[in-house]
């Protein structure tokens, strides 16, 4: 919250929050808890290999995602059957909620190339940002 407030005080209102692993869970939880307080205009989220928080077993990552209306990119690398099933579950929840701004992309080990200047994951994120979170202009009103 402090980081978001700092950026907004500096005039930056187009924000993309990125989470990896359980960090994706916490980003989704934060946004779900706080999007009712502010207009979600200018926000987007990227989840990379997002998964449930083992400590908060009663609260599901997909439940928080499904409350959001902002553009969401869900990149995942299925390391095992459990992670593949979790990704399928998230996609199913988002389809059931008719979330039109949700994109899920299955990546493979080769996407994380070390020989290229920009690996496939980086290029995929850049392309998604350009199409879904390139920035929006709005009239700022002082309260």
């Amino acid at each position: 919250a402090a980081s978001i407030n700092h950026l907004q005080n500096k005039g930056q209102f187009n924000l993309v929050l990125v989470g990896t692993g359980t960090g994706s869970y916490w980003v989704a939880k934060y946004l779900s808890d706080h999007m009712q307080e502010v207009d979600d205009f200018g926000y987007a989220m990227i989840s990379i290999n997002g998964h449930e928080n083992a400590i908060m077993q009663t609260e599901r990552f997909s439940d928080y995602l499904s409350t959001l209306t902002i553009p969401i990119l869900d990149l995942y690398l299925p390391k095992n059957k459990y992670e593949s099933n979790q990704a399928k579950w998230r996609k199913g929840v988002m389809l059931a909620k008719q979330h039109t701004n949700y994109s899920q992309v299955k990546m493979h080990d080769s996407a994380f190339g070390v020989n290229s200047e920009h690996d496939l994951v980086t290029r995929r994120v850049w392309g998604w940002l350009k199409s879904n979170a390139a920035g929006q202009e709005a009239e700022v009103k002082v309260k």
Side-chain angles (χ1 to χ4, degrees):
S3 297
I4 291 171
N5 287 337
H6 175 74
L7 289 169
Q8 290 177 340
N9 287 336
K10 297 285 184 185
Q12 182 56 260
F13 296 98
N14 291 304
L15 303 174
V16 178
L17 283 77
V18 180
T20 61
T22 54
S24 296
Y25 166 90
W26 290 108
V27 168
K29 179 175 176 25
Y30 174 82
L31 290 172
S32 179
D33 291 347
H34 293 88
M35 280 292 109
Q36 293 80 20
E37 297 173 11
V38 297
D39 185 10
D40 63 4
F41 185 79
Y43 283 87
M45 177 184 170
I46 297 175
S47 169
I48 302 173
N49 284 333
H51 56 80
E52 307 294 332
N53 183 342
I55 298 169
M56 310 294 273
Q57 293 179 354
T58 59
E59 300 172 347
R60 296 190 60 108
F61 177 38
S62 58
D63 293 338
Y64 289 122
L65 281 180
S66 68
T67 65
L68 302 175
T69 59
I70 61 175
I72 299 170
L73 175 62
D74 183 0
L75 289 173
Y76 75 101
L77 175 67
K79 297 177 186 167
N80 54 47
K81 189 82 169 163
Y82 175 77
E83 290 181 8
S84 292
N85 289 338
Q86 288 296 308
K88 288 177 187 175
W89 177 262
R90 284 194 307 273
K91 187 173 185 176
V93 167
M94 299 305 274
L95 286 172
K97 295 283 186 172
Q98 298 179 345
H99 193 298
T100 58
N101 291 330
Y102 175 80
S103 302
Q104 187 180 78
V105 179
K106 178 180 177 181
M107 303 302 288
H108 299 281
D109 286 331
S110 61
F112 298 89
V114 293
N115 295 333
S116 63
E117 181 180 348
H118 302 294
D119 62 22
L120 183 58
V121 173
T122 302
R123 292 193 316 256
R124 175 75 69 159
V125 169
W126 280 351
W128 183 85
L129 286 170
K130 186 176 180 181
S131 300
N132 296 279
Q136 301 171 350
E137 291 186 20
E139 187 176 323
V140 178
K141 298 177 184 174
V142 179
K143 293 181 181 181

